[in-house]
Amino acid sequence: MIIRRLEDKDIEPLMHLVNITMRKINTETYPDELVEQWVDEQKEDHYRNEAKDSHVYVIEKNGNLIASGGISKPVDGVSTLKLVYVHPDHGGEGLGRKIMETVLDDEYGKDADKIIGSALINAIRFYKKFGFRTKDDEYIFNEDGTIEIEKDVSNE
């Protein structure tokens, strides 16, 4: 198993990972139409642009991408956490934790005072394990069905 930064050759496998994860995990808590809308929004250009101003990490096992996550370059002291994806066949192996530890240890995370992000409702407990909280400690849904999360890292 290898944890490394996203490379150009990873864009298509990353899209596949995200699509499989979205469809297998999120249909339990979100309507199929919304999940398909999210999947349709996942285009190559989106990931290429994400990689320009973010450090995106992947976990590769036997030549396959099985997990990903990232963090943006801080702007005015604030970095944005990119959603963490773990292939459903590899859930429970600690890959989400490994990605989060890598992302939070990244220079973009360390240079920030605050990290913000969006989470799906079924992942809130996961992000809370890493010190994130929902904005104003409430579950306020954005238009796209996500919930805002944040973490103060100014004293870390």
Side-chain angles (χ1 to χ4, degrees):
M1 180 171 46
I2 301 166
I3 300 176
R4 60 176 175 77
R5 291 273 301 276
L6 180 75
E7 299 173 8
D8 242 13
K9 68 180 173 96
D10 299 323
I11 299 295
E12 193 170 316
L14 178 59
M15 288 173 50
H16 180 70
L17 168 69
V18 171
N19 291 345
I20 274 187
T21 304
M22 288 278 212
R23 287 185 172 128
K24 285 198 175 180
I25 304 292
N26 297 314
T27 52
E28 296 171 13
T29 49
Y30 289 95
D32 290 344
E33 303 81 41
L34 184 55
V35 172
E36 287 307 312
Q37 177 185 328
W38 291 332
V39 168
D40 288 345
E41 292 171 356
Q42 308 306 311
K43 306 287 186 221
E44 279 190 43
D45 289 345
H46 168 77
Y47 291 103
R48 290 190 199 293
N49 288 334
E50 287 265 304
K52 286 180 186 173
D53 295 320
S54 301
H55 288 169
V56 179
Y57 292 90
V58 296
I59 296 180
E60 181 182 345
K61 184 176 182 181
N62 300 327
N64 296 310
L65 294 189
I66 57 173
S68 70
I71 191 163
S72 73
K73 185 176 184 176
V75 175
D76 296 328
V78 179
S79 288
T80 301
L81 178 70
K82 305 302 175 178
L83 289 175
V84 173
Y85 295 96
V86 175
H87 193 287
D89 293 346
H90 296 277
E93 296 178 15
L95 302 177
R97 179 182 46 77
K98 287 179 182 169
I99 282 286
M100 282 298 291
E101 288 170 351
T102 301
V103 165
L104 294 174
D105 197 41
D106 181 272
E107 65 185 285
Y108 287 176
K110 290 188 175 293
D111 291 345
D113 295 320
K114 183 179 191 180
I115 301 173
I116 62 169
S118 298
L120 300 174
I121 195 163
N122 50 324
I124 296 291
R125 272 196 350 228
F126 169 77
Y127 290 116
K128 283 187 173 186
K129 291 178 187 176
F130 296 94
F132 284 86
R133 62 182 189 86
T134 55
K135 190 171 182 164
D136 300 323
D137 293 318
E138 294 183 30
Y139 283 30
I140 301 171
F141 288 89
N142 295 319
E143 274 186 34
D144 65 358
T146 60
I147 298 168
E148 291 182 41
I149 59 172
E150 58 187 25
K151 178 179 181 172
D152 181 350
V153 291
S154 59
N155 295 324
E156 291 184 13

